[in-house]
Amino acid sequence: MEVSLSSLAPAEIAADLLVLLVREGLDPGLGLGGVLGQVRFTGRAGQDLLLPRRDGDAFRAAAVLLVGLGADDDAHAVRRAVGRVAPRLAEFPTVAVAFPHVEAVIEGVRLGGYRFDGYKSEPPRPAVRELIILAGEDPQGVARAGIVADAVTFARDLVNTPAGDLVPMDLAEHARAMAGACGLGVRVLDAGALREGGFGGILGVGAASANPPCLIEVSYPGDGVSGTIGLAGKGITFDSGGLAIKGLGAMSTMKCDMAGGATMLAAVQAAARLELPVGVTAVVSAAENMVSGSATRPGDVLTHRNGRTTEVTDTDSEGRLVLADALAYLAESSPDVLIDAATLTYSVMHALGEDITGVIGSDRELVGELIAAGARAGEPMWELPLWEPYADRLTSEVADAKNEGGSLADATIAALFLRPFTAGLPWAHLDFATTAYLDKATDLGPAGATGAMVRTLIGYLESRS
């Protein structure tokens, strides 16, 4: 999509479609106020009205699309309003949007117009070819919005890809290709290297699959003096539950269980393209959690990268096993902070629903910075407690810990399980088991992968810079 800026007034632009974002109760101008009373368009959020140009109209565009903003006209409202109508915009070759929030408009068009239709036999749906924003000069905003939208799209595409076409080493190849395009360092540890390196969590989870596990590391050095952020992502490319096998309803969307890994790869991609001063290292522990005679059994004990041992009491609590190795590995390089992301627990789904990501951490300042970055990005987060008394639920008679502590407060207990692998570094854990993948469309995209937390993490990395 070609994006340009123009200082022309809305009435002067000769586009196929002119989009006017209208606050509730306000006149959109261009002599359209009288028309709105006849059709009961008030500017309420969720309303839109397409008006073809008639003889005598005070604008040059072939048509005008009025889009209701409701009471707010901040970046979040603009992004959502534009995203909601983005699929309709593709019907017009040249689209002009009259609103000064350049980045919000571009993100709305790109994210709301996203489609994953490469597996469909019919031709792909058209996309907006040329977008003109009537907002004066903001080339940096145009560039940043494009990079952010690219990163979200990268994550969405990976998560939406069927699991049969994205086994662990396929994910590694995508990471290699991205790293090559962005000039990033990349390292992939295959099953042999994982055995030599003591990555027992990843190996144990991937033991039953014909597709071997791997660990993916992509690094962006930054300016060398602004510190380094360590990002760990859960990369379960398919989760059957292992021997604690899931039912069909729970298993059918489990291609999305690598969303944490996709998110972290997208974040380091954006950091490099934005040329941020802060360094970023993303580590993804990739495996398939499958069923076979070689599967890890309930009661087996795994030894992790840092030497800590885990008794596996639930093979469907596998995400924390692979994340433990990723965090321990990252901690060895002593980054300034550690952040992990995972589609980890059902309890966060029940507690926070499909709009809010849970965050738990050992460092309140870091947690607060992430919540603030989420608020700026329009991705709400809520802090859950790292409640120390619940650590007793992870006590094992045969190992340092077991990998589950019952169904109650599982998000907190999962975080307590992960904490010993962070080497005392400032650490935050993002549990987005619902927000990463939805079964219904939103204003910012169709059903499926959302790319949640990509924009939040980019904003956080920028704030650290």
Side-chain angles (χ1 to χ4, degrees):
M1 181 179 71
E2 180 183 343
V3 180
S4 61
L5 301 174
S6 174
S7 58
L8 289 175
E12 299 172 333
I13 193 76
D16 296 298
L17 180 68
L18 171 64
V19 179
L20 298 178
L21 303 173
V22 184
R23 284 275 303 273
E24 188 167 8
L26 297 185
D27 189 326
L30 301 183
L32 297 174
V35 176
L36 303 190
Q38 301 173 28
V39 295
R40 297 184 181 178
F41 178 90
T42 64
R44 176 175 49 82
Q47 282 187 318
D48 57 82
L49 177 64
L50 181 65
L51 298 171
R53 181 165 57 84
R54 304 164 301 175
D55 291 341
D57 278 340
F59 54 87
R60 298 179 62 196
V64 171
L65 180 64
L66 304 177
V67 180
L69 284 173
D72 298 320
D73 62 355
D74 59 14
H76 306 323
V78 171
R79 188 186 298 110
R80 290 194 301 268
V82 173
R84 186 177 57 80
V85 299
R88 297 184 64 184
L89 305 187
E91 302 169 12
F92 301 87
T94 303
V95 177
V97 181
F99 214 83
H101 286 306
V102 171
E103 293 185 39
V105 169
I106 295 172
E107 290 177 15
V109 172
R110 289 282 307 277
L111 302 185
Y114 171 85
R115 292 293 180 269
F116 186 78
D117 51 15
Y119 284 84
K120 295 187 176 182
S121 57
E122 65 263 23
R125 299 180 185 181
V128 174
R129 294 201 296 269
E130 183 179 1
L131 176 65
I132 305 168
I133 305 175
L134 309 182
E137 293 299 316
D138 187 8
Q140 290 184 329
V142 172
R144 181 188 183 277
I147 290 169
V148 170
D150 285 346
V152 175
T153 297
F154 176 75
R156 286 180 175 182
D157 284 349
L158 287 176
V159 177
N160 280 326
T161 299
D165 290 337
L166 195 77
V167 301
M169 288 305 295
D170 292 328
L171 181 58
E173 289 307 311
H174 282 281
R176 280 195 176 107
M178 179 273 288
C182 296
L184 302 175
V186 61
R187 183 186 187 202
V188 177
L189 302 184
D190 62 15
L194 292 175
R195 281 189 289 272
E196 292 178 8
F199 293 88
I202 304 174
L203 289 166
V205 171
S209 177
N211 300 302
C214 63
L215 182 133
I216 306 160
E217 179 181 9
V218 179
S219 56
Y220 165 65
D223 62 12
V225 297
S226 298
T228 302
I229 307 300
L231 304 177
K234 172 186 172 183
I236 301 298
T237 58
F238 187 75
D239 181 18
S240 72
L243 292 180
I245 193 165
K246 297 176 183 288
L248 177 60
M251 198 190 301
S252 60
T253 59
M254 281 298 103
K255 67 180 183 179
C256 78
D257 217 17
M258 39 65 66
T263 298
M264 297 321 199
L265 293 175
V268 71
Q269 176 200 63
R273 294 186 62 195
L274 290 168
E275 299 181 348
L276 299 182
V278 70
V280 182
T281 299
V283 171
V284 179
S285 42
E288 285 188 323
N289 188 25
M290 301 294 277
V291 180
S292 76
S294 60
T296 293
R297 306 157 186 81
D300 284 354
V301 175
L302 307 178
T303 302
H304 295 279
R305 169 73 178 183
N306 66 350
R308 188 172 172 85
T309 58
T310 299
E311 178 189 5
V312 179
T313 53
D314 181 4
T315 64
D316 197 21
S317 293
E318 84 298 331
R320 62 201 73 179
L321 297 174
V322 301
L323 266 180
D325 279 343
L327 286 167
Y329 177 73
L330 265 174
E332 293 168 10
S333 60
S334 300
D336 295 288
V337 302
L338 287 172
I339 303 169
D340 74 72
T343 48
L344 205 64
T345 68
Y346 288 107
S347 64
V348 79
M349 298 166 65
H350 296 308
L352 300 179
E354 57 198 13
D355 292 339
I356 305 169
T357 292
V359 56
I360 308 174
S362 62
D363 187 278
R364 300 301 301 280
E365 181 178 359
L366 172 59
V367 169
E369 290 171 349
L370 287 167
I371 292 173
R376 293 191 300 271
E379 296 186 314
M381 305 170 69
W382 194 265
E383 184 180 7
L384 298 173
L386 195 66
W387 186 246
E388 192 65 38
Y390 289 168
D392 290 345
R393 300 185 187 183
L394 294 168
T395 300
S396 167
E397 298 300 323
V398 298
D400 293 324
K402 57 184 181 179
N403 74 322
E404 57 84 33
S407 60
L408 301 179
D410 190 35
T412 289
I413 290 170
L416 287 166
F417 174 87
L418 293 171
R419 185 178 56 180
F421 299 94
T422 64
L425 294 168
W427 159 69
H429 161 65
L430 309 181
D431 190 339
F432 62 163
T434 304
T435 56
Y437 194 91
L438 299 175
D439 60 4
K440 63 179 182 181
T442 71
D443 289 343
L444 292 181
T450 63
M453 292 294 103
V454 172
R455 291 185 293 115
T456 292
L457 286 169
I458 293 171
Y460 168 76
L461 295 174
E462 289 175 318
S463 73
R464 292 287 303 219
S465 299

